Structure formats: C-alpha cells, structure tokens
Amino acid sequence: MSWFSRTLSSSLGKKYLMAVTGLFLGLFLLVHSAGNSTIFFGRKLFLSYAEHLHSLGFLIPIAELCMLATFLVHVSTGIILYFQNLKARDSRYCVQNNAGGRTLGSRSMIYTGVIVLCFVVLHLMNFHFTGDKRPIADIVGDTLSSPLYFALYGIGIAALAIHLSHGFWSLFQSFGLNHPKYDCFIKKSAWGACGVISAIFGAILVLLVINSTYLH
C-alpha cells in the first residue's frame, strides 16, 4: 500500500481530505454567490452572466463533473468519519458543554450536512435538471417567489451557514494553522465568509418573494 493510500485510510488522512474538498466547495460557493449577486442589478445583467457561463462550452460539463466528484468525496468521507467517531466513543455523556471550543456548528455538522445535501438535490432539480426551456431568469423568479420554496431554501441556507461556520474553522485546524493569538481572528473570518455567502443567497430569496415579477 502506497503512502497516499495509507494516509487516506487513516482518520487524519480523511480529515485532510475533508478539509481539501471543503475548501474547494467553499470557494465554489463564494464564486457562485458572487455570480448570483448580479440579480440585484436586474434581469439583463443576470441573463448576461448566465450567457457568459454557457459560452464556456465544454468547460462547463468538465467543471460540473469535478464539482460532483468533490462533493461526493466530501459527503462520503464525512459519513465515514462520523460513524468512526461514534464507534470510537466508549460512552455517551448525559451532559454536554462547550468545553474545548464546542459550538452549534461542530455539534450539528452531520445534521446540517444532511440538510445541505437535500438542499443541493432540490436546487439541482429546480434549475439544472428541469426541462423548462424558458430563460433562467424566469425560472429563478417563478421558483423562488413561491412561499413553499422560500421556506425550503431558507432552511437550506440556514443549515449551510451553520455548516460553513464550523467547516471554515476546522479547515485551519486540520492543517495546523491555529494559534491562540490568531484563533479569534480565524473564527471571526470563518463567520464573516459564511455570513457573506448566506446573506447574498438570503437577500435574493427575500427580494424575489417581495417582488415576484422582479426578474420578468
């Protein structure tokens, strides 16, 4: 067995894999939220952004396959680590506290991860695998202006924010980039990054619910 295989088969190696794939997914979300923010400047600019993406041609399916592989590796590795951690515990404590930096994000990673997984599937069904041939602005406007999808996407975005808040923080921990002098800054930066992403997605939802004809 090569050193690479041995590394990935260890718990530490899986944490590195989670960190690397999480980093790529986080960068994708930053780019995706920046692109989607063109909605705030009207239908014309949003359609121009969508047309620019489609003009990339064969690069789009290649990028999609890379993102799918990254996402599947991240999810499967997270599930494996979760059950390994459960098995390693000798006992469960009746009382839990925040000792050692335990946060809402760290305690709920598996649960928010499942919600985010369902959210991604819903999102792809609505905007990627739909047979609707209308302009993407019309599809987005009609879908997200629905109270039902407003609620579902709101839950998904909230879960994503909580998941990212710990994910960005644990990324630095996994690579040993932590120090008591900088930990506070890293935590605030993690919250800031996930806050920006969540705020953009959330603002789009609110905008389209308030004004259902905004993109038409």
Side-chain angles (χ1 to χ4, degrees):
M1 183 182 294
S2 67
W3 69 267
F4 183 74
S5 299
R6 289 196 301 272
T7 299
L8 293 185
S9 63
S10 67
S11 294
L12 183 59
K14 291 184 180 68
K15 290 181 179 179
Y16 286 146
L17 190 59
M18 283 288 289
V20 172
T21 54
L23 175 61
F24 279 110
L25 293 173
L27 291 175
F28 166 76
L29 284 172
L30 283 172
V31 173
H32 188 51
S33 62
N36 283 356
S37 68
T38 55
I39 286 178
F40 301 124
F41 301 97
R43 175 187 176 92
K44 183 177 181 180
L45 187 58
F46 181 60
L47 286 176
S48 176
Y49 163 68
E51 290 172 3
H52 174 70
L53 287 181
H54 287 297
S55 70
L56 297 176
F58 71 93
L59 293 177
I60 294 297
I62 292 176
E64 289 176 344
L65 287 175
C66 290
M67 289 305 304
L68 175 62
T70 302
F71 185 76
L72 291 177
V73 169
H74 189 76
V75 171
S76 59
T77 305
I79 292 173
I80 292 171
L81 282 172
Y82 173 73
F83 284 107
Q84 283 183 343
N85 290 337
L86 280 182
K87 187 177 180 180
R89 293 176 186 172
D90 293 328
S91 62
R92 301 291 296 273
Y93 293 97
C94 295
V95 179
Q96 294 185 0
N97 54 46
N98 287 333
R102 294 276 288 173
T103 64
L104 173 63
S106 64
R107 291 194 302 269
S108 62
M109 285 298 280
I110 187 65
Y111 309 111
T112 55
V114 170
I115 295 174
V116 170
L117 175 60
C118 295
F119 176 49
V120 169
V121 172
L122 174 67
H123 187 66
L124 291 175
M125 294 299 295
N126 282 333
F127 300 118
H128 192 73
F129 297 115
T130 178
D132 201 326
K133 300 301 182 182
R134 293 179 299 159
I136 187 62
D138 295 336
I139 300 173
V140 170
D142 290 344
T143 301
L144 297 186
S145 61
S146 162
L148 173 62
Y149 282 110
F150 174 82
L152 292 176
Y153 271 72
I155 293 171
I157 292 170
L160 180 64
I162 296 172
H163 196 79
L164 288 177
S165 70
H166 180 69
F168 284 154
W169 161 250
S170 62
L171 171 68
F172 289 92
Q173 299 294 304
S174 296
F175 290 115
L177 302 176
N178 60 306
H179 188 280
K181 185 182 295 185
Y182 310 116
D183 281 353
C184 183
F185 172 76
I186 292 174
K187 286 183 179 180
K188 290 181 178 178
S189 298
W191 274 104
C194 71
V196 169
I197 293 171
S198 304
I200 291 175
F201 291 143
I204 292 172
L205 271 182
V206 173
L207 172 65
L208 294 179
V209 165
I210 293 175
N211 187 358
S212 60
T213 62
Y214 178 77
L215 288 177
H216 291 78

